[in-house]
Amino acid sequence: ASAHIGVTGLAVMGRNLARNFARHGHTVAVHNRTAARTRSLVEEYGGEGTFVPAERPEDFVGSLERPRRLVVMVKAGRPTDAVIEEFAPLLEPGDMIIDGGNAHFQDTRRREASLRERGVHFVGTGISGGEEGALHGPSIMPGGSAESYESLGPLLEDISAKAQDGSPCCTHIGPDGAGHFVKMVHNGIEYADMQLIAEAYDLLRHVAGFEPARIAETFRTWNTGRLDSYLIEITAEVLAHTDAATGLPFVDVVADRAEQKGTGRWTVQTALDLGVPVSGIAEAVFARSVSGHADLREAARTLPGPERRPMSEQGAEAFAHHVEHALYASKVVSYAQGWNMVSAAGEEYGWEIDLGSIAAIWRGGCIIRAAFLDRIRAAYAADPGLPTLLADKEFAAEVGEAQDAWRAVVSTAVAHGVPTPGFAAALTYYDALRAERLPAALTQGQRDFFGAHTYRRTDREGSFHTLWGGDRTERPAD
Ligand code: 6PG
């Protein structure tokens, strides 16, 4: 038994993670349901480090040093349960199963609880960064017991991405499903970021009248400022790409139906359960959904819209500048919402998550990596009890400065009939939070009228009901 760690499930993510461990000098046991994949990994990449291939689960488990660290990289859902059922009987107390898939955190909680009974640590681990990240350094979000992290943490930190200050993009998030929860929110924020960028593109294209190549240039410029991020960088690449078959901009030959595998939807479903408003993420999920409804879109295609007047060159330049501000302010809002969600779940499940550390480990390796995350880290370092990112002095000042441009962009979008659900939802959330009085008072009145649901008053403690069907006097409700 000599392998430091084992990886089972050698599709591209598992294979690249195994190679990453090996490249860092760790002996890696490798296993796959169909052995041909194990053999090809060793044939192709055996020179990168020390691999211990095994065909039978018993041999795979037997080749691991104790306590055993077994990374499972299979499709989330049933396949994960199947692998656990196969390997758990071969393990001993103290061993660890690390699930690196995009599992639902409630599944992770269930699996963790059941394996804990056998003394086996189940470490639901979020891994972000795609294939390249898995090989060169992902951002890693392990949940599970603190004890398991003592043994596992150093290995994971070793292969993780490193932030600019050299610190590893991996930390123990919290017990049971905390790691997968945080990965889920990462993906929700990823959806929101992508949607906001897509809206910015749409506005530059159809309101400012820029061609894709020019928009690519605009994004490149933005990427040198506070929007500096991986997603903006790859957006410029995609927009600058020309389709070889037609010679047209690539973005014009791709079907405009956005797909999804489910983590964004989970984020919104979970936010609804937790009662946390994540409107930016929700709008991003719905926008993908709308794009996929060919039937509805076909049925509505001939509905009238406003006449679009082309902008002057000067006007377009100024508008593009405003879009940059609107994008930034909307981004701050969706991150604020995502962080609120992590904070609420931390309380709900007793996870005690360090909110600043989440920003710290997303600075490198993951899909939403961005210069901006170091500022979120700093905001929570300055005030760990920050109720919302929007209350941080620096972010508040920036968003405040951006608000005129933000409003101008949303109203111009409306006037031109270009959908901007992300920008508009973010601005609406901002305005709702800062409102002195919300019309929720009226909602309460209506509820009391039709259902005697009671209301609270601004001037006295307690619940009240008005006799709407009678003399309209007010009674205390008990
Ligand atoms: C990551 C990505 C990764 C995956 C997304 C894609 O962090 O590396 O988020 O997990 O690419 O889940 O999600 P959709 O297919 O739902 O867009």
Side-chain angles (χ1 to χ4, degrees), residues 186-414:
H186 165 282
N187 281 26
I189 294 176
E190 172 185 304
Y191 275 52
D193 254 347
M194 291 169 72
Q195 174 62 22
L196 294 173
I197 293 171
E199 290 176 20
Y201 153 76
D202 210 19
L203 290 168
L204 294 180
R205 185 96 193 248
H206 297 115
V207 177
F210 292 0
E211 288 308 312
R214 182 166 176 194
I215 303 174
E217 273 317 307
T218 308
F219 277 110
R220 278 195 189 111
T221 314
W222 291 358
N223 210 33
T224 61
R226 59 189 180 177
L227 281 167
D228 177 4
S229 64
Y230 171 71
L231 281 172
I232 296 275
E233 178 192 325
I234 64 161
T235 301
E237 297 281 328
V238 173
L239 287 173
H241 184 59
T242 303
D243 175 54
T246 59
L248 292 169
F250 168 79
V251 73
D252 287 350
V253 299
V254 176
D256 61 347
R257 292 188 298 273
E259 296 177 18
Q260 51 183 313
K261 289 200 286 286
T263 46
R265 186 174 64 239
W266 291 349
T267 311
V268 178
Q269 287 169 334
T270 307
L272 289 172
D273 291 338
L274 289 168
V276 181
V278 292
S279 45
I281 300 170
E283 289 296 352
V285 175
F286 282 134
R288 288 195 192 191
S289 167
V290 167
S291 79
H293 272 283
D295 50 345
L296 300 179
R297 293 176 63 188
E298 186 50 42
R301 201 169 301 282
T302 53
L303 293 178
E307 200 185 315
R308 283 185 196 166
R309 289 203 202 93
M311 278 185 171
S312 68
E313 175 59 26
Q314 213 183 5
E317 272 297 332
F319 180 68
H321 196 60
H322 284 170
V323 172
E324 182 183 1
H325 285 289
L327 176 56
Y328 184 75
S330 303
K331 183 179 164 90
V332 173
V333 166
S334 51
Y335 279 66
Q337 293 181 340
W339 252 264
N340 284 345
M341 190 169 166
V342 174
S343 162
E347 278 181 28
E348 171 77 16
Y349 298 107
W351 285 335
E352 295 186 9
I353 296 180
D354 172 351
L355 296 175
S357 76
I358 309 289
I361 65 162
W362 286 351
R363 287 178 298 173
C366 66
I367 304 296
I368 63 168
R369 61 186 181 262
F372 168 78
L373 281 154
D374 194 49
R375 308 215 3 247
I376 300 184
R377 181 201 57 72
Y380 280 102
D383 180 3
L386 205 58
T388 161
L389 264 189
L390 292 167
D392 171 72
K393 257 204 225 94
E394 279 190 32
F395 283 119
E398 283 181 330
V399 172
E401 275 162 32
Q403 62 138 351
D404 287 343
W406 199 6
R407 294 183 195 287
V409 167
V410 172
S411 53
T412 306
V414 172

